[in-house]
Amino acid sequence: MSYSADFISELTRAANEVDKLSTDEYRRLVERAVRMVREMRLETGTRPSRGNYVAMGGLEIAALMTEAAANNDEVEGVLLNLAGMIRALKIMVDGKIGVRKGD
């Protein structure tokens, strides 16, 4: 399994066991996920539209607010949203690699 697939699993597992997460663990997961999304966007050559910038910024703000409020449902939602973004970008990365091999 690739690193991104492993990390998607880690985010999903953390979301399902959110009551066991410390604030530091949550913060590290969010930081890693945001960094991975940015790197994968660079790798795919995807230039986020204004809406995507707003969505990513909104997700980062939601992550910070959730950390402060410690609401388990919101923590779960942030982690699952990040996992979904990484999953979508992984599909794009894998497709781009497949196209390159076919050329």
Side-chain angles (χ1 to χ4, degrees):
M1 211 183 320
S2 71
Y3 175 75
S4 56
D6 288 342
F7 190 50
I8 292 167
S9 296
E10 184 178 351
L11 287 169
T12 305
R13 192 175 321 105
N16 289 328
E17 298 175 351
V18 74
D19 55 327
K20 298 178 184 178
L21 274 183
S22 72
T23 302
D24 287 337
E25 290 170 320
Y26 169 69
R27 184 182 304 125
R28 280 192 297 271
L29 284 170
V30 169
E31 287 170 355
R32 285 174 53 203
V34 168
R35 186 172 42 252
M36 180 177 273
V37 166
R38 287 189 176 129
E39 289 171 0
M40 291 176 86
R41 282 183 173 164
L42 287 172
E43 188 176 343
T44 61
T46 305
R47 291 183 39 119
S49 65
R50 175 150 169 69
N52 286 337
Y53 274 123
V54 171
M56 193 65 189
L59 191 53
E60 289 179 87
I61 291 168
L64 292 171
M65 291 173 64
T66 300
E67 181 180 325
N71 180 324
N72 285 353
D73 290 338
E74 291 176 9
V75 169
E76 180 182 351
V78 168
L79 293 173
L80 291 175
N81 278 333
L82 286 165
M85 291 175 98
I86 293 169
R87 185 177 299 112
L89 285 163
K90 181 181 178 339
I91 291 168
M92 292 174 64
V93 168
D94 291 348
K96 190 172 183 178
I97 291 170
V99 169
R100 285 184 192 161
K101 287 181 181 177
D103 287 342

